[in-house]
Amino acid sequence: MTLAVFFGCTFIAFGPALGLFLFTIARDPLRIIILIAGAFFWLVSLLLSSLIWFIAVKASDPRDEPLQKGLLIFGVMFSVLLQEAFRFLYYKLLRKAIEGLVALSEDGCSPISIQQMAYVAGVGFGLMSGAFSMINLLADALGPGTVGIHGDSQLYFLTSAFMTMVLIFLHTFWGILFFHGCEHRRWWEITAVVVMHLAVSGSTFCNPLYVGSLVPSYLLMATAAVWAYLLSGGSAQNLRRFLLSGLQSRASPQPGS
């Protein structure tokens, strides 16, 4: 593989998320702290689920292939549930943090809303998830070796990059939906996030039939994006007004032209 594959997959997987970070988070120290803490919570959930899966594998017969495949499926599903449990714990922590910020502020208002915290926490979960999903693949992309030399798909790195990108966005939208469900005690919203997370993770078992994992994941991402947009106060009218203002600003003549 070449450096072009390495950098191409890196920009596909992390380019959009880097844009989110630079334009919406990087200038606010409080948001950076929330993002790093969210990434830490996701990392702890992964370490705990990995430990349990490792113990289960070591305690089982390695020659029993159906059992090992079952343990792999169990490990993925358990990891998803543990991630969502830690997302709930992080919500509780941020809720306490808002109460403390309100108590310390002079005007009795928090400098950041729970909706903004949900967004930043979701980005933190997504970035750490994407990093662990892609870092080893990017290292392998530098070679030596040739993808598909034994008849496998040559799109392995490319599809992995697109899957990492969609997971980062999904975690961002799931954070908004999950926190909204916790804030308004809409447990069905929390359940929907868990079900979507399980569905996306389960779809990866369709690989190397990559259409079976990428297409459902992107459809769920579009659904979660619209849902999160509406819960955040967005509407079709606001979106239309934004697009029209952008088109008018581009069509208007520039001074001195």
Side-chain angles (χ1 to χ4, degrees):
M1 305 305 289
T2 64
L3 286 175
V5 175
F6 175 83
F7 286 110
C9 292
T10 301
F11 287 131
I12 290 173
F14 299 106
L18 181 60
L20 290 179
F21 174 77
L22 292 177
F23 289 109
T24 63
I25 299 174
R27 297 181 180 181
D28 191 333
L30 182 57
R31 294 188 181 189
I32 294 177
I33 294 173
I34 295 172
L35 182 141
I36 294 174
F40 175 76
F41 267 71
W42 186 92
L43 180 61
V44 173
S45 72
L46 177 67
L47 290 175
L48 290 178
S49 59
S50 299
L51 178 62
I52 293 174
W53 176 78
F54 178 78
I55 294 174
V57 169
K58 289 298 182 182
S60 61
D61 185 3
R63 295 168 295 181
D64 191 343
E65 293 187 4
L67 176 60
Q68 294 302 315
K69 185 176 181 179
L71 288 176
L72 179 61
I73 296 174
F74 162 77
V76 171
M77 300 298 109
F78 181 77
S79 176
V80 168
L81 296 176
L82 200 58
Q83 287 175 46
E84 298 306 328
F86 271 79
R87 199 192 302 272
F88 179 75
L89 292 177
Y90 193 40
Y91 162 77
K92 287 292 188 181
L93 178 64
L94 291 178
R95 208 68 192 82
K96 291 293 183 181
I98 288 181
E99 295 174 3
L101 291 173
V102 170
L104 293 174
S105 64
E106 297 179 356
D107 56 359
C109 297
S110 172
I112 185 171
S113 66
I114 190 65
Q115 292 88 352
Q116 292 171 333
M117 284 186 170
Y119 162 73
V120 177
V123 175
F125 267 62
L127 284 175
M128 186 58 72
S129 172
F132 270 81
S133 299
M134 203 64 191
I135 194 69
N136 288 332
L137 295 179
L138 290 175
D140 291 338
L142 293 175
T146 301
V147 176
I149 195 172
H150 295 295
D152 298 320
S153 173
Q154 297 183 1
L155 301 177
Y156 174 66
F157 289 114
L158 187 62
T159 53
S160 298
F162 277 106
M163 193 66 186
T164 299
M165 181 180 68
V166 75
L167 280 174
I168 293 174
F169 278 116
L170 278 170
H171 271 292
T172 303
F173 302 139
W174 287 338
I176 297 173
L177 298 175
F178 194 97
F179 278 41
H180 185 272
C182 293
E183 191 72 7
H184 298 277
R185 296 185 180 278
R186 296 181 179 177
W187 306 117
W188 61 272
E189 291 181 353
I190 299 174
T191 303
V193 170
V194 175
V195 171
M196 283 191 288
H197 199 168
L198 287 170
V200 171
S201 298
S203 69
T204 59
F205 289 107
C206 295
N207 295 337
L209 182 61
Y210 297 114
V211 176
S213 59
L214 282 176
V215 173
S217 298
Y218 273 85
L219 291 176
L220 284 176
M221 183 191 72
T223 303
V226 173
W227 193 359
Y229 174 72
L230 295 176
L231 289 183
S232 301
S235 64
Q237 184 179 0
N238 293 339
L239 183 60
R240 191 182 307 112
R241 188 183 299 117
F242 170 76
L243 294 175
L244 288 176
S245 63
L247 291 175
Q248 291 172 358
S249 62
R250 295 183 65 179
S252 60
Q254 298 297 326
S257 60

